[in-house]
Amino acid sequence: MTSYRASARGETFRFDDLAAVMAAASPERSGDQLAGIAADSALQRVAARRVLMDLPLTAFLNEALVPYETDEVTRLIIDNHDRAAFAPIASMSVGEFRDWLLSPAADRAALRALAPGLTPEMVAAVSKLMRNQDLIRVSRKIRVETAFRNSIGGTGVLASRLQPNHPADDPRGIAVAVLDGLLQGAGDAVIGINPASDNLGNCHAMLTALDEMRAALDIPTQTCVLTHVTNALTLIERGAPVDLIFQSVAGTEAANDGFGITLAMLAEAQEAGLSLNRGTIGRNVMYFETGQGSALSADAHHGVDQQTLEARAYGVARAYQPLLVNTVVGFIGPEYLFDGKQIIRAGLEDHFCGKLLGLPMGVDVCYTNHVEADQDDMDNLATLLAQAGVNFVIAVPGADDVMLGYQSLAFEDIAYLREVTGLTPAPEFAAWLQAFGLAGQDALPDPGALARKLGLPA
């Protein structure tokens, strides 16, 4: 294991290994401070970034941050690394890679071809050398398109997950929230419920209700009840109308063990989802959720900084060709992202790292009520992400998820983002909105027509 040294303003700093360099180079983050691995000072952070700047990208192929022998995520990353795709940048340092990413040579085609040759550790390292505007400039160049009943991620498209959670899983309450979201153009990425109860019968009933609602309105979208992957497999066996298979994933084997999953289990779930053939225009059937701090909260971080482990979670997701991936960036709490500034930075980092690895990256622009953040911070992050080309964001009624108890975006925020950026919904969904008079500021919406089809008071 190699140790590293660098100086800043005449003071020399020593880093015991590559994981220590990565942690010290990270922007200030309460989670890394909680883990005792953050830089002690701004000078030490600068010194660590100097080490990273000159570090060959190949170092990440030669020195595993989490041991190969004991971690299946590391084995997945190393064993699936595409050396042919990596070849064009194999001689670069991390600093040179940053300069190349910001150059005209790193166009859409080059970045798409490069993605299989990048490891999560490489993209995490280069992100630590970038300003927020750098993260936006590079992310904006990358398009990752996926499809199931509609196509997401195309040029000029901003999709959204309609999240109609209800504290009692009441079908009528969920239906009203869905109608509210549809009236404001939300729901093209997925109509996805976090169930208050993971009871299989309850999940089956909600899946059926969502599918009936989608079919009654002929909505070109997909639905999902965000239950554990093992529940999804059982529901498939019972004949439930499962569109997408959801799972939270993390960047180490031990953290995934805390979620009750293995990589083999995810592969089995993907095969089960594909066997249903429910997609009409595509076969991306997986939906993954991540968040900085999950490995640390499970005491499964191996001394690695939370942003690098987040990127490793994207290495897991990438193996299963998902329709959707999103970071719930501010959901875990101030122990990991203390305030609005840290949440904004983390959201841009997560989006950048996911897109660079070839993922259809979305963000839940969110915070909990005990974080030093507010809705203005979320407005800022959402606007920046829209400019950065995020595939989708999440929205809930009134920006307040009354079941999970946190703050996200409201359905109105989706309309705002599209208005100020000129972005549109997924094309198939946009045509559906147009048919109901719900597209464009000059449209004449007919909420009664939707309500009547859902069996609700018009």
Side-chain angles (χ1 to χ4, degrees):
M1 191 171 293
T2 307
S3 63
Y4 302 86
R5 293 178 183 272
S7 298
R9 289 192 177 177
E11 187 174 351
T12 299
F13 296 89
R14 181 181 181 274
F15 305 96
D16 290 337
D17 53 27
L18 188 50
V21 174
M22 293 282 278
S26 289
E28 186 174 3
R29 197 132 309 167
S30 55
D32 293 337
Q33 292 166 341
L34 177 65
I37 58 175
D40 294 327
S41 65
L43 274 183
Q44 188 183 27
R45 186 172 294 114
V46 169
R49 289 176 181 174
R50 285 184 171 175
V51 172
L52 272 189
M53 181 178 66
D54 294 328
L55 190 75
L57 287 171
T58 52
F60 295 103
L61 300 175
N62 300 323
E63 184 175 342
L65 302 187
V66 181
Y68 180 95
E69 296 76 15
T70 59
D71 188 273
E72 67 172 354
V73 175
T74 300
R75 293 194 292 275
L76 175 74
I77 291 166
I78 297 299
D79 294 350
N80 288 278
H81 180 243
D82 188 331
R83 289 187 177 270
F86 178 61
I89 63 165
S91 64
M92 292 185 187
S93 67
V94 177
E96 290 168 336
F97 182 41
R98 173 193 176 275
D99 293 343
W100 180 82
L101 286 172
L102 292 167
S103 76
D107 59 18
R108 185 170 301 176
L111 292 169
R112 183 185 302 115
L114 178 63
L118 295 173
T119 69
E121 292 84 354
M122 292 175 190
V123 301
V126 76
S127 75
K128 298 176 193 297
L129 302 182
M130 302 179 103
R131 296 168 56 187
N132 285 2
Q133 68 168 251
D134 298 336
L135 299 174
I136 294 168
R137 286 177 63 194
V138 176
S139 300
R140 187 178 175 86
K141 295 192 282 187
I142 305 169
R143 304 309 309 177
V144 181
E145 298 184 40
T146 55
F148 189 77
R149 286 198 189 91
N150 58 27
S151 50
I152 299 168
T155 301
V157 171
L158 172 62
S160 63
R161 170 182 161 192
L162 196 169
Q163 183 169 299
N165 294 346
H166 191 281
D169 289 336
D170 179 70
R172 288 179 66 83
I174 290 169
V176 169
V178 171
L179 177 60
D180 185 16
L182 292 173
L183 286 170
Q184 297 178 77
D188 45 343
V190 64
I191 300 174
I193 301 174
N194 299 91
S197 168
D198 253 347
N199 174 276
L200 282 169
N202 180 56
C203 291
H204 197 149
M206 285 194 291
L207 278 168
T208 301
L210 282 178
D211 192 57
E212 289 175 349
M213 188 184 310
R214 178 196 60 77
L217 296 174
D218 196 24
I219 310 171
T221 191
Q222 34 284 329
T223 62
C224 185
V225 171
L226 281 68
T227 188
H228 192 270
V229 64
T230 54
N231 286 348
L233 286 167
T234 302
L235 289 164
I236 289 172
E237 291 173 359
R238 295 182 180 182
V242 175
D243 284 349
L244 304 184
I245 298 174
F246 169 83
Q247 184 56 49
S248 295
V249 295
T252 69
E253 179 177 345
N256 283 325
D257 184 60
F259 285 140
I261 60 168
T262 64
L263 300 185
M265 194 180 294
L266 297 179
E268 179 187 358
Q270 183 189 23
E271 286 302 312
L274 289 170
S275 72
L276 299 178
N277 291 311
R278 290 179 60 84
T280 55
I281 67 169
R283 288 173 57 80
N284 300 111
V285 298
M286 302 298 286
Y287 176 16
F288 293 115
E289 208 161 62
T290 68
Q292 288 195 28
S294 60
L296 175 58
S297 67
D299 194 25
H301 61 100
H302 296 274
V304 178
D305 69 275
Q306 67 181 40
Q307 188 255 334
T308 298
L309 292 180
E310 174 73 0
R312 281 171 54 94
Y314 305 151
V316 172
R318 180 170 61 173
Y320 306 99
Q321 297 83 51
L323 179 78
L324 307 168
V325 179
N326 70 259
T327 167
V328 282
V329 65
F331 180 75
I332 302 182
E335 301 87 352
Y336 307 100
L337 295 170
F338 179 74
D339 57 16
K341 180 178 181 179
Q342 290 190 14
I343 291 172
I344 289 170
R345 172 69 190 193
L348 294 175
E349 287 171 348
D350 293 352
H351 176 247
F352 165 86
C353 289
K355 290 288 276 296
L356 199 53
L357 289 168
L359 285 176
M361 200 67 200
V363 177
D364 189 353
V365 179
C366 63
Y367 64 103
T368 55
N369 288 316
H370 57 313
V371 171
E372 293 295 322
D374 58 27
Q375 212 63 32
D376 285 339
D377 294 312
M378 300 305 103
D379 287 349
N380 292 342
L381 177 54
T383 304
L384 292 172
L385 286 167
Q387 293 294 341
V390 69
N391 276 33
F392 72 102
V393 291
I394 293 177
V396 304
D400 184 8
D401 191 308
V402 295
M403 194 280 280
L404 291 174
Y406 79 114
Q407 310 304 307
S408 185
L409 297 181
F411 300 137
E412 301 94 310
D413 296 326
I414 308 304
Y416 148 75
L417 290 170
R418 290 171 177 159
E419 177 185 339
V420 300
T421 60
L423 299 170
T424 64
E428 301 83 0
F429 192 80
W432 180 85
L433 290 172
Q434 186 68 48
F436 273 97
L438 299 174
Q441 291 177 304
D442 299 325
L444 297 174
D446 184 5
L450 295 183
R452 285 189 295 273
K453 287 198 173 189
L454 292 177
L456 297 170

